[in-house]
């Protein structure tokens, strides 16, 4: 399962979420405006940067919208 850490106002996050929506990718959205998700992001990735993808199946962790999209495309 994909967990995507985002900030709703971030254009790069919007790019990834639009890709996910347009391609019917199932994911859990964790908005870091919630302190709980912000703490999770820092624990998983080590920095406060979004978008951040965590693939719970493979434990892969990615920043950067284009890298996230490329990775998800490769899993289709």
């Amino acid at each position: 399962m994909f967990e995507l850490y985002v900030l709703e106002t971030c254009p790069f996050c919007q790019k990834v979420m639009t890709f996910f929506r347009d391609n019917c990718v199932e994911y859990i959205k964790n908005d870091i405006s919630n302190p709980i998700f912000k703490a999770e992001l820092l624990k998983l990735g080590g920095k406060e940067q979004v978008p951040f993808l965590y693939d719970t199946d493979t434990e892969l962790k990615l920043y950067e919208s284009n890298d996230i999209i490329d990775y998800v495309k490769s899993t289709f």
Side-chain angles (χ1 to χ4, degrees):
M1 171 61 68
F2 296 127
E3 287 193 34
L4 185 65
Y5 290 80
V6 299
L7 193 57
E8 288 289 337
T9 57
C10 165
F12 299 105
C13 297
Q14 291 295 327
K15 176 181 176 178
V16 174
M17 290 187 293
T18 298
F19 171 81
F20 280 17
R21 184 189 67 236
D22 292 350
N23 291 278
C24 301
V25 176
E26 291 185 28
Y27 71 103
I28 297 169
K29 179 173 71 173
N30 298 324
D31 190 324
I32 67 163
S33 61
N34 178 324
I36 293 170
F37 294 131
K38 187 175 185 177
E40 284 180 11
L41 169 65
L42 290 170
K43 183 177 178 183
L44 283 170
K47 56 186 173 178
E48 190 178 320
Q49 178 183 331
V50 288
F52 174 76
L53 180 75
Y54 177 53
D55 183 342
T56 59
D57 296 330
T58 64
E59 297 189 6
L60 181 85
K61 300 169 186 172
L62 283 175
Y63 289 100
E64 302 299 331
S65 57
N66 290 333
D67 293 342
I68 292 169
I69 290 169
D70 289 343
Y71 172 72
V72 173
K73 281 181 183 177
S74 75
T75 65
F76 284 120

